Structures are given as C-alpha cells and as structure tokens.
Amino acid sequence: MSRTLWRFTVVLSCCACACARAAIPENRVASPSPTTAVAEMQPASFPGDWKYRSGGRAAFAEHAMVASGSKLAAAVGAEILKAGGNAVDAAVATGFALAVSYPEAGNIGGGGYMVIRMSDGRTAALDYREMAPAAAYREMYIDSTGRLTTGSGQGRSASGVPGVVAGLADALAKYGTMPLAKVLEPAIRMAEDGIIVDSALARSTAGKVQLFRTYTGGKVFLIGGRAPAVGSLFRQPDLASTLRLVAERGVDGFYRGRTAELIAAEMRRGCLEGIAEQSRAAHNCGLITMADLAAYHPVWRTPIRTSFRGYSLIGMPPSSSGGTTLGESLNILDGFKSLPPFGTAGYWHLVASAFRLAFIDRNETLGDPDFIKPPVARLTSKRHADLLRATIDPLKATPTSSVKPLTEGTETTQYSVVDVFGNAVSTTTTLNSLYGSGVMVDGAGFFMNNTMDDFTSQPGAPNQFGLIQSEANSIAPGKRALSAMTPTIVLDPSDRLFMVLGARGGPRIITSTAQVILNVIENRMSLADAMSAPRIHHQALPDTIRYEAGGIGTTTVDRLRAMGYQLTAAASIGASVVAIRRVRGGWEGMDDPRGFGGGAVGY
C-alpha cells in the first residue's frame, strides 16, 4: 500500500438549518409521503450567530465509502474495498487502523458494538462491550465512609476486560471475505513504519501530557517530555508487535500468551502487597487477570428495528441503550403529523420532551440482558410511544421529577461503511474517556478503557456524563455496563439502504444521531446541512436543555424559558456524528464539522 495513502485527504463540508413559526401539530395523524419529503431537499437557514454555514457538500463516491473520525483509518477501509473486500472486511480493517491513528478513542483496549446489514437483507448486531472482571463487586468504588471514589474514572481499577479484538475477529469470521492477517496489514504497517502527525493528533496528545506522565503512556506518546509535533513521524513499535500477534494467532494472540501476560502485569502494577480485595479499587489495583481475558466472548444479539415516517431504523439492543432510546424518541415524534419548523420553540419543545421521556425509561430499566430482562419490546412499541406522547403538554415543559416511568397496563469513535455490493456496517467503539483510564499496557502499546464508570457505582450518584442510573446497571462479575453507543442503519420505505451513521460523545450520542436522522427525513436537509445544524441535548437529569451557543436565537431561548425550561449554552453539545447517505448516483459521507481530523473516503 502506498505511503501516500496515509495522507489521503477529503473534503469536509458544513452547514445548518431552517427556523420559522412555532405551531404545535396535532397528534397521531398519517404522515406525508416520506419519499417526497426526502426527495425535495430544502435550503437550510439558521440564526446569524451560528458558526457553520449552510449549502456545503459532503464527500461523494459512486461505488463505496468509508466515513470515520480519522481520515487515515477511513483511507485504510477504502483501500480494502478497492481490493475487493466487502463492508465487514473494511470495517474490521478500519477498526484496527483506528488503534494506530486515533489512540484517544480508536483502540484495542476497549469495546464496542457493530450493526450489520447485508445486501441480501440479513441483519446482525454484535456486542463486544467490555466485561467486568471476575473480582468486581457492586460497591467496589465506595469508600469506608460511604462516599463514591474516583477509582472508576482513572487508573488501573477503572478497566473492564477489553472486547475489540474478539469482536472484530468474530465479525470478520462470520460476515467477512478476507483473512484476519490481510485486513490487519495496513494497521501493522502504520504502527511500525509510522504516521505523519497531523494537527488533530498533536492537539489531542498535547492535552493529555500529565496523564501520560502519571502512567506508562509517556514512554510512547512523549518525545523529550513533549507531545509529538505536527509533521513529525510517529512510530508505535510495541503496538505493531501486538497487532502482529493477532494477525498470526487470531484472538489467542491477544487473550492468551504474551499480550494477556502484559495486560495482567499492568493491572498488578498498582497493587500493594497483602491488600484486601475490598480495598483494591481505592489503591489503583487493576482486577483483570489472565483468566478474565481467556474467558472474554462477544455476543451476537437480535437488532432492534423501529420506524420513523416509513423509514426503518436498525439499531443496537442492550447492553447498548442506543437503539432502544433512539427508537423510542423517534416513535414519540412519529405520532405527530409533522413537527413545527426546525429551530422554533415549538420544535425544540417536542424534541426535548421526546428525549426526556425516552431517557427516563433508559435510566430506569435498561442493563445487560444477560443479567436482567430489559423491556425493549415494550419501550420501542408504537403503543408505548402513544402513551408517552399523551403526557406532553403542548404549551409548557413537564419537569422530570414529575414524570414516572410507565409500566405495563461518552469517549468513543464511530465509523460507517457501505460497499459496492450493497452491504453496510455501522460501528461504534470506545475507551470511554479520552485515552480511557490513562493506563497504557507497558510493552503492548495500547491504552486500557475506563468503562467501569458506565456502571451504576452508587444509585443516585451521576457518572462522568451526568447520568443517574438504576440498580439494573449495577456492577457484577462478567457484566457489561450500559452504553449510549448508537450505531444505526436506516432503510428507505422501499427497504433500500439509505443511511449508515452513529456518533461519539457519551449520552449525547443518542440525541445527536436522532437529530441528524430528523434533519434528513423530517426537515428535508442535505447530509451536509443535517450534520452541521444546531443541536440540543436532554437526558432527563439534570433537567436542563443543553444547546449550542449561537444555534438557538435569543427570542427562541426566551420562549423556551417561559415554557418552564432550564437552558444551558455550551460551545458544543460534545457529540460528533459520522454518516453516509445514499444520494442520486452514489453515496455522500462525512465526519461531523464539530470533529477534528475525520473524513470520508470512497471510490
């Protein structure tokens, strides 16, 4: 593969959306023709202070495309497609390449989810979320005074058993066409020969210098005590050796043997001699053992299928909350004949209300289906959406504290792939925080996750994303923490592949992915405008609409406050979407303009 491949560039475009009157539509009336609604794209407009311009264009490819938060990784996937691989081959190659080019989130020390739709109509959902070690226990992050410690957020005790290598290998074996060693070749070459540091990698590493110094990451990511400079050659020989073992031995090259020994040794490095098991988390003692690694397994699950305006959405079931919560939100909105014009107080009121109601259900009822029975069928039903929609007051906000769940009677990276055969893959993978727990496995060249923070460490206490979750998501050995990752595939009313998308950004993944879908289908925006439009976020608690500064006009903010909403402006919602959309003559794809260093590559 040519070295110039690693410098492949793409055109990113940006934009926004339309605002106008704010009438509340009537409930539950037949929708307009979805085909017509999407075919008639409308120019987007937005408040004058909004930072993105409308009318931009996404990257275009006639045959196939890969979109990713890393242009280098997207180029790897596109090269596999050009070589005759299918979408799964390209997705696996992209995933391993991200471990090299996007170390803050692309990884082999974390976990993720993959949604697949083959050209013959088969669909699949692969859960390779990290698992709690066998020594984990419910109150492991609570100290002797009953207070929640920081052990779930940083350090060796924050890590669950990583699932990426097992997940990618399993997906390739079941749906791919190329050998594992073949799709690993580009990532190994990138790690061994080096990549040219771009501004995105330089900025990312410069912001984590202290973290690298605290643990072992400084051996690789600090050169003369400093982060790599733009334009320098950055090599990762330890990571190359780790990837080569996987290429030679498959999953055993990671979960058994040398790499497993290095992980287990890194976990023990923070332990004190004779420490009681109940005190390990407080002393930065990692719990993952060789036995935990050997016991790890991904799980194939049944995808969630919901609909909006006649379009089908194929999503990820628990242990991810993404497919359920996105489907429930859009089901609530689907019951309206149409939504008020984009950007009005009426529009944001309905969207925020749908998110609030769906997140209440998410936080109270969802968890690992191998430990509880989450009511996914009920939550994603149109009947449940009808009952929730009836609770929305058309004129004012309903406080989260007054809403009870109805009963019967985060940092990540997303990549999306479509191939010339009509197969599609949407994948979201994570270390949780940027650079995960901050702990690099010495000698293996990759960072470990801090996914244990996604469990309910203490009921009533928020995690790093402000989510207050229930006992259903409590810590237990072998359990997978509830996630907000939302890899999604959208089919048009004729059951043809239409969109492949997902996002990074904790719970904001769900709301941002939903809003891009709304923008394309409901608001008739181009992909570039849909991705660049202002967004909001509401996750029930805290009971606040978070919005992007300049994205909602002052008058609209005042109207929402008069309706009873608390609002908080931020420079960004904090989520970055990656999407591909079918258009006439081919595919459009792009990374979110809020991101930095991503892109789409196709042919």
Side-chain angles (χ1 to χ4, degrees), residues 259-390:
T259 301
E261 291 169 357
L262 290 172
I263 294 172
E266 188 63 55
M267 294 295 101
R268 293 192 300 270
R269 207 182 310 278
C271 298
L272 301 177
E273 290 295 331
I275 189 172
E277 182 174 304
Q278 288 75 17
S279 303
R280 286 180 177 176
H283 289 82
N284 194 27
C285 180
L287 302 184
I288 300 172
T289 65
M290 294 277 288
D292 288 319
L293 291 160
Y296 183 84
H297 59 281
V299 181
W300 289 96
R301 305 194 189 276
T302 302
I304 290 174
R305 187 152 178 161
T306 55
S307 65
F308 178 76
R309 303 296 196 234
Y311 287 75
S312 296
L313 293 91
I314 304 168
M316 193 72 210
S319 61
S320 172
S321 67
T324 305
T325 311
L326 179 142
E328 186 174 344
S329 300
L330 293 182
N331 274 345
I332 293 168
L333 297 173
D334 195 35
F336 296 104
K337 178 181 179 181
S338 62
L339 301 183
F342 178 87
T344 61
Y347 180 85
W348 295 127
H349 169 54
L350 292 188
V351 172
S353 296
F355 289 158
R356 183 210 308 267
L357 292 166
F359 265 89
I360 289 172
D361 280 343
R362 175 207 184 273
N363 296 342
E364 289 290 331
T365 66
L366 297 184
D368 186 341
D370 296 330
F371 286 75
I372 66 166
K373 293 184 178 180
V376 172
R378 175 171 64 84
L379 298 184
T380 57
S381 69
K382 295 295 185 182
R383 170 61 179 163
H384 186 66
D386 290 344
L387 295 173
L388 292 176
R389 192 181 315 104

Side-chain angles (χ1 to χ4, degrees), residues 8-315:
F8 196 102
T9 57
V10 299
V11 177
L12 297 181
S13 15
C14 43
C15 223
C17 332
C19 314
R21 60 191 186 280
I24 300 294
E26 58 186 306
N27 281 9
R28 211 65 193 160
V29 184
S31 303
S33 165
T35 303
T36 301
V38 173
E40 298 173 358
M41 293 291 104
Q42 297 180 351
S45 62
F46 46 87
D49 292 337
W50 184 232
K51 54 191 170 185
Y52 302 120
R53 298 181 62 84
S54 60
R57 290 184 178 276
F60 174 81
E62 182 179 357
H63 302 293
M65 180 167 281
V66 182
S68 168
S70 163
K71 290 184 289 187
L72 296 182
V76 164
E79 192 68 16
I80 292 294
L81 292 175
K82 289 178 185 177
N86 70 7
V88 177
D89 298 322
V92 173
T94 300
F96 283 118
L98 282 166
V100 183
S101 66
Y102 203 60
E104 67 179 43
N107 65 88
I108 55 174
Y113 302 95
M114 181 181 291
V115 175
I116 300 169
R117 200 261 185 175
M118 303 300 286
S119 59
D120 59 8
R122 287 176 296 157
T123 60
L126 181 59
D127 180 341
Y128 52 98
R129 179 71 155 157
E130 305 92 325
M131 296 172 66
Y137 55 97
R138 184 182 178 280
E139 286 133 356
M140 61 184 286
Y141 300 114
I142 299 174
D143 67 17
S144 59
T145 68
R147 290 181 299 185
L148 191 62
T149 70
T150 60
S152 67
Q154 184 175 316
R156 296 173 182 87
S157 66
S159 297
V161 183
V164 167
V165 172
L168 294 181
D170 213 13
L172 187 71
K174 189 166 184 178
Y175 290 100
T177 66
M178 291 181 168
L180 183 60
K182 176 67 174 179
V183 298
L184 269 161
E185 282 178 4
I188 293 170
R189 186 177 300 115
M190 290 167 68
E192 193 162 61
D193 295 347
I195 59 174
I196 301 301
V197 177
D198 60 12
S199 56
L201 181 57
R203 186 176 71 171
S204 173
T205 53
K208 294 293 182 179
V209 169
Q210 188 55 51
L211 185 68
F212 300 152
R213 287 174 178 163
T214 302
Y215 300 102
T216 51
K219 291 183 178 181
V220 176
F221 282 84
L222 299 182
I223 302 168
R226 296 184 179 183
V230 174
S232 63
L233 182 67
F234 181 55
R235 299 180 64 246
Q236 300 172 73
D238 286 346
L239 179 57
S241 296
T242 298
L243 294 174
R244 189 174 288 106
L245 280 174
V246 176
E248 294 171 355
R249 300 185 56 210
V251 294
D252 283 351
F254 186 87
Y255 294 94
R256 293 175 173 82
R258 178 180 182 274
T259 301
E261 291 169 357
L262 290 172
I263 294 172
E266 188 63 55
M267 294 295 101
R268 293 192 300 270
R269 207 182 310 278
C271 298
L272 301 177
E273 290 295 331
I275 189 172
E277 182 174 304
Q278 288 75 17
S279 303
R280 286 180 177 176
H283 289 82
N284 194 27
C285 180
L287 302 184
I288 300 172
T289 65
M290 294 277 288
D292 288 319
L293 291 160
Y296 183 84
H297 59 281
V299 181
W300 289 96
R301 305 194 189 276
T302 302
I304 290 174
R305 187 152 178 161
T306 55
S307 65
F308 178 76
R309 303 296 196 234
Y311 287 75
S312 296
L313 293 91
I314 304 168

